[in-house]
Amino acid sequence: MTAGTAGTAVTAEAPGRDAADAAAQAAREAVFDAAVAADERIEPRDWMPEAYRASLVRQIAQHAHSEIIGMQPEANWITRAPSLRRKAILMAKVQDEAGHGLYLYSAAETLGVSRDELLDKLHSGRQKYSSIFNYPTLTWADVGAIGWLVDGAAITNQVPLCRCSYGPYARAMVRVCKEESFHQRQGYEALLALSRGTEAQHAMAQDAVDRWWWPSLMMFGPPDDVSTHSTQAMAWKIKRHSNDELRQRFVDIAAPQAEALGLTLPDPDLKWNEERGHYDFGPIDWDEFWDVLKGNGPCNDQRITQRRQAHEDGAWVREAAAAYARKHTGQHGEAQA
Amino acid sequence: MSSDTWPLWEVFVRSRRGLSHTHAGSLHAPDAEMALRNARDLYTRRMEGVSLWVVPSAAITASSPDEKDPFFEPAADKPYRHPTFYEIPEGVKHL
Amino acid sequence: MTTTDTTGTGTGTTPAPATAPAVTTAALALGDDALVLAQRLGEWAGSAPVLEEEVALANIALDLLGQARVLLSLAGDEDELAFLREERDFRNVQLVEQPNGDFAHTIARQLYFSTYQRLLYAALAADDGPLAGLAAKAVKEVAYHQDHAEHWTLRLGDGTDESHRRMQTACDALWRYTGELFQPLDGLALDTTALEAAWLDSVTGILTRAGLTVPAGPRTGAWRAGAGRQGLHTEHFGRMLAEMQHLHRSHPGATW
């Protein structure tokens, strides 16, 4: 087998054929467990439990899908951005999301799945993307709110992933986090301009924050007591903090930022709790969360239809380039050092 | 592989002159020329590089984790390859 | 109206360019080209044939938008010029406002336009004119745009039967808008005859290598050559502008 540095993962085989196999298997498991315990990184060609591999594929794929579906709500405003400066910023941001999708698909590919397989699963609904992107961007202020709140929540989630136990995922996240540092700031800046602008602009900003606040809190996933994947993911150090812990961290950061913006967060229960050293906040509407997750959000169909359409419309282009490469192998097969 | 599938390439970036190329990540491209261009667009858009290599992922032969011990452990007991192994009288300079 | 009359004696509503020095007129024309093409390329976001191409098209769009901002700023306030002018006051060539169509149409438009821009900026960078500084930077960007268009033209022209057919159709359809590129531009001392010869040479070479037929027929549209530079555009353009300008215009005097 040849395998790139991003090679293919070796996974558990069928249960041992004999005692020697069983012993070898136990030894491999011990090596894996020790590496995770010692905070070492697992690399693509290391042995890993099949469930670890499957869990990573699921999470990285969902993350990658979220990046590329997440292009849509913001791309919705590229052609209408109200200044050339904002247009350039937004184009660069949406481009970054394509790039981040690419980094993440690459990380998933080191686990022995192809991007085509993953895209198939996205297009057929067998793999998910973050539900937040099933909400519509109705006004320009939504672009700012996404940058501030959605990217803010994403960053809170992602920073700990830079220390995830799987090497390629952790490295992809380092790159993503580094590049995303401008995403949240540009959103905040855009909202600030609106908040301090005309009355109509201020109202637009407040309306956007009203609509994006709760869905942003849902981005951290269900509460710890009902989260199905969390415990094992934390034991494997794929995940470092619980959903509720990260959600609280985000609320603590966002609440004073809202004040500085001159905007109100739509939660009457939101207030500083001196005793806890955290902000208290009101109950989240988990029925809405599960409903959107099940496909009943405002834009579920629209997002997947557009994605599938782009993929299908592009098929002849991808085929043409592949056909050209086959015809010209040798002539074009070599890279220049 | 379906007719519209492009192979995977590994990308190496020289971040500035004087440094060696470092693995940056991977991407898909139909051929080497396009791989180089995709690598430029994806991995150097924030001035991360001055030179690029692209290599078909399938062309890389990697050491196997199973061979880790025979490959890399024997180097561990040869401290005499490192300057700190040697004791030099105090005050002797430029050694 | 002569083809060198770029002041727009038609029904334009903003007289600003008429009183501006010649270099302003040129900056406006080239800035509008870059702005309008960036806007068109921006429409691709989220719909490119493959993820790698999302990144590539956005890079090109961002280069063009950057050029547009520098050029328009030479002529006035970039946002006022981009968002508050009427259709008849835009000076871009009709080629760049043509709809994206399929990927082949976008690539054909890129090939024709980036080849023109590369030759134009190389010429401007070489002389001592007021746009030399900008051109020296931009020529590197557009050289990459042409490289991108060339590689895709080869792959689509010499890929599958379908891609060949689509690429030939696109090249034929846009050919009529290419004559306009070589009308003299007020304020720029350009040898447009030499520019056109070099362009034909370059484009012919690429199309031939791609196994495509160099389109026959007139290289000017139903609108006479130079129409875009005089503020006469195709129907698509009004809709593009409506989309681009509506938010800015809905909030007069607001800052963003």
Side-chain angles (χ1 to χ4, degrees), chain C residues 168-241:
Chain C
Q168 187 66 59
T169 303
C171 290
D172 292 348
L174 293 171
W175 188 249
R176 60 199 292 249
Y177 298 105
T178 58
E180 186 186 355
L181 299 169
F182 307 103
Q183 296 306 312
L185 247 177
D186 237 14
L188 296 183
L190 282 171
D191 181 349
T192 49
T193 314
L195 197 67
E196 181 164 17
W199 183 90
L200 267 174
D201 192 49
S202 181
V203 167
T204 302
I206 294 167
L207 293 181
T208 307
R209 276 196 292 133
L212 294 160
T213 309
V214 179
R219 295 193 19 260
T220 56
W223 296 93
R224 99 196 73 165
R229 292 275 187 250
Q230 292 154 44
L232 278 178
H233 296 280
T234 52
E235 282 189 350
H236 316 290
F237 188 55
R239 285 184 183 277
M240 193 208 87
L241 273 191

Side-chain angles (χ1 to χ4, degrees), chain A residues 16-236:
Chain A
R17 286 173 292 269
D18 54 33
D21 273 2
Q25 174 75 4
R28 286 196 205 116
E29 270 170 38
V31 169
F32 173 86
D33 290 343
V36 171
D39 257 346
E40 280 180 27
R41 296 287 175 267
I42 305 300
E43 293 296 343
R45 301 194 67 207
D46 291 338
W47 181 89
M48 61 188 81
E50 177 55 30
Y52 175 83
R53 193 194 72 92
S55 176
L56 276 170
V57 168
R58 185 186 56 77
Q59 183 174 336
I60 301 173
Q62 175 165 332
H63 198 159
H65 299 331
S66 300
E67 294 283 356
I68 62 165
I69 294 286
M71 295 171 72
Q72 290 183 30
E74 291 180 279
N76 187 29
W77 284 92
I78 286 179
T79 54
R80 296 179 285 173
S83 73
L84 297 187
R85 177 173 175 269
R86 294 283 172 208
K87 193 188 286 291
I89 291 168
L90 187 56
M91 268 187 191
K93 178 172 191 275
V94 173
Q95 180 193 42
D96 271 353
E97 280 150 17
H100 297 168
L102 279 165
Y103 304 153
L104 289 160
Y105 283 122
S106 296
E109 285 189 273
T110 65
L111 292 159
V113 287
S114 71
R115 193 200 296 175
D116 280 353
E117 277 173 76
L118 298 177
L119 285 176
D120 266 358
K121 286 185 176 159
L122 169 66
H123 297 154
S124 61
R126 281 173 294 155
Q127 279 178 345
K128 303 260 180 238
Y129 54 89
S130 176
S131 272
I132 191 80
F133 301 118
N134 291 319
Y135 290 88
T137 47
L138 302 177
T139 72
W140 167 252
D142 290 33
V143 170
I146 288 184
W148 174 41
L149 296 174
V150 175
D151 290 325
I155 290 167
T156 309
N157 262 329
Q158 288 170 359
V159 167
L161 288 174
C162 297
R163 296 185 297 121
C164 153
S165 62
Y166 187 58
Y169 191 24
R171 289 192 287 278
M173 289 319 299
V174 168
R175 195 177 275 273
V176 168
C177 288
K178 206 166 109 193
E179 296 187 350
E180 274 202 354
S181 52
F182 100 80
H183 292 190
Q184 196 189 9
R185 288 177 76 111
Q186 67 81 32
Y188 193 81
E189 189 203 69
L191 274 185
L192 191 64
L194 294 177
S195 180
R196 293 180 177 173
T198 65
E199 210 174 301
Q201 284 177 305
H202 183 89
M204 192 193 284
Q206 183 61 58
D207 168 60
V209 169
D210 288 347
R211 282 181 288 111
W212 288 93
W213 172 249
W214 290 109
S216 300
L217 293 193
M218 295 176 198
M219 284 176 69
F220 296 93
D224 293 346
D225 48 3
V226 297
S227 176
T228 45
H229 300 293
S230 285
T231 319
Q232 183 60 72
M234 284 178 76
W236 278 330

Side-chain angles (χ1 to χ4, degrees), chain C:
Chain C
M1 172 156 68
T2 70
T3 51
T4 51
D5 176 11
T6 56
T7 58
T9 50
T11 58
T13 53
T14 312
T19 56
V23 58
T24 309
T25 313
L28 201 59
L30 301 182
D32 284 350
D33 283 350
L35 172 63
V36 170
L37 189 54
Q39 174 78 6
R40 282 295 189 211
L41 290 173
E43 293 172 10
W44 270 105
S47 300
V50 67
L51 265 181
E52 280 79 357
E53 201 54 29
E54 291 280 358
V55 183
L57 290 172
N59 268 349
I60 295 171
L62 283 167
D63 285 343
L64 289 167
L65 190 51
Q67 292 166 19
R69 295 181 65 189
V70 173
L71 285 161
L72 293 182
S73 296
L74 290 174
D77 178 85
E78 60 175 41
D79 285 337
E80 272 180 36
L81 289 169
F83 295 102
L84 297 177
R85 271 183 301 161
E86 299 291 328
E87 179 177 338
R88 293 297 310 275
D89 299 319
F90 275 80
R91 292 290 175 265
N92 56 283
V93 291
Q94 292 179 355
L95 175 65
V96 293
E97 74 203 30
Q98 296 312 303
N100 287 338
D102 64 3
F103 190 66
H105 277 78
T106 291
I107 292 300
R109 193 181 60 197
Q110 285 303 117
L111 177 70
Y112 292 164
F113 188 71
S114 64
T115 302
Y116 158 75
Q117 255 196 327
R118 184 176 64 78
L119 294 165
L120 173 79
Y121 283 139
L124 293 179
D127 91 2
D128 247 359
L131 299 181
L134 162 103
K137 176 177 178 290
V139 74
K140 293 177 197 158
E141 297 170 348
V142 299
Y144 191 82
H145 304 175
Q146 193 200 18
D147 175 89
H148 173 266
E150 175 179 346
H151 278 282
W152 271 115
T153 301
L154 293 176
R155 278 154 188 80
L156 298 183
D158 191 15
T160 62
D161 289 347
E162 181 182 7
S163 72
H164 178 85
R165 179 180 54 73
R166 284 177 183 262
M167 193 62 200
Q168 187 66 59
T169 303
C171 290
D172 292 348
L174 293 171
W175 188 249
R176 60 199 292 249
Y177 298 105
T178 58
E180 186 186 355
L181 299 169
F182 307 103
Q183 296 306 312
L185 247 177
D186 237 14
L188 296 183
L190 282 171
D191 181 349
T192 49
T193 314
L195 197 67
E196 181 164 17
W199 183 90
L200 267 174
D201 192 49
S202 181
V203 167
T204 302
I206 294 167
L207 293 181
T208 307
R209 276 196 292 133
L212 294 160
T213 309
V214 179
R219 295 193 19 260
T220 56
W223 296 93
R224 99 196 73 165
R229 292 275 187 250
Q230 292 154 44
L232 278 178
H233 296 280
T234 52
E235 282 189 350
H236 316 290
F237 188 55
R239 285 184 183 277
M240 193 208 87
L241 273 191
E243 181 172 342
M244 184 172 96
Q245 295 183 334
H246 98 267
L247 175 60
H248 185 98
R249 284 179 181 253
S250 302
H251 298 263
T255 49
W256 301 93

